[in-house]
Amino acid sequence: GFTQLVLLALWEFVQKDSPAVIVLAVLFLILAIGVLGWTSFRVHHFAKQSLQQHKNPAAVLYGNQQILDKYGFFYTMFNANKYWWGNVLLLHTFVKCIFIALCQASGKTQAMVFWIIDMVYLGLLIHFKPYLNTPTNIVNILIQLVTTLNSFMFTFFSNIFGQPAAVSSIMGWVFFILNAAFSL
């Protein structure tokens, strides 16, 4: 729910429905960022402690059942040495939420920023391969590749390049076929 909470809370600052809703948006924003920030801090603390004591972050992160039960959702999908990838994922999501919520008036800005952010994230994902095993890394890289291609197509849909309408129509078909085939 982090993405939805942050996105809608930030969007409320632009929408300004009422002062009460803005106060709720601030509270939800502080809560969402605070809870996951605290989780991130604790995971890093325990990983650092584990590295000092055992020369391996997995010893405490996976060896202590209480830590695993309480904070495991933040790092168990990643390789033990890449426990910090949750922060990268949160930052990626948070930056995209900022641009979705605050740049509603400029689709061109959103499209270009999304394409750049997604390319950077794809590069980091390919370089670090943070997930547990090779098949999971391949699936996540393919998902991010399709997401990056989609954000590239959004640049055409927002008419950044000033192309003829036929080009956008063809890109629409490519967009549909790519996503339908990948979903299937």
Side-chain angles (χ1 to χ4, degrees), residues 98-115:
I98 288 172
F99 281 97
I100 291 171
L102 303 179
C103 293
Q104 287 290 313
S106 179
K108 291 180 181 182
T109 303
Q110 285 182 331
M112 190 54 77
V113 168
F114 273 29
W115 183 37

Side-chain angles (χ1 to χ4, degrees), residues 32-173:
I33 293 171
V35 167
L36 287 177
W38 177 252
T39 300
S40 171
F41 173 75
R42 295 299 289 169
V43 167
H44 278 281
H45 170 74
F46 292 127
K48 187 188 247 186
Q49 176 186 358
S50 182
L51 282 168
Q52 288 173 351
Q53 293 174 355
H54 306 286
K55 308 273 190 270
N56 182 0
V60 172
L61 291 176
Y62 290 94
N64 186 328
Q65 192 62 39
Q66 289 178 327
I67 294 170
L68 185 61
D69 290 344
K70 197 169 192 176
Y71 302 109
F73 73 92
F74 195 75
Y75 62 84
T76 54
M77 69 286 278
F78 308 119
N79 183 326
N81 293 323
K82 306 284 191 316
Y83 63 89
W84 47 266
W85 190 260
N87 295 331
V88 176
L89 192 59
L90 278 178
L91 181 65
H92 176 254
T93 303
F94 184 68
V95 171
K96 285 179 90 169
C97 286
I98 288 172
F99 281 97
I100 291 171
L102 303 179
C103 293
Q104 287 290 313
S106 179
K108 291 180 181 182
T109 303
Q110 285 182 331
M112 190 54 77
V113 168
F114 273 29
W115 183 37
I116 292 167
I117 290 171
D118 286 339
M119 280 193 310
V120 169
Y121 186 74
L122 177 63
L124 291 172
L125 197 60
I126 290 169
H127 177 73
F128 287 108
K129 296 178 188 76
Y131 291 92
L132 283 174
N133 53 24
T134 302
T136 309
N137 278 311
I138 290 170
V139 167
N140 280 284
I141 288 170
L142 287 174
I143 289 169
Q144 186 57 39
L145 177 64
V146 170
T147 302
T148 304
L149 290 173
N150 286 343
S151 61
F152 174 68
M153 287 181 214
F154 292 155
T155 61
F156 282 93
F157 301 151
S158 65
N159 202 24
I160 286 177
F161 306 115
Q163 74 278 359
V167 173
S168 295
S169 297
I170 291 168
M171 294 304 280
W173 276 104

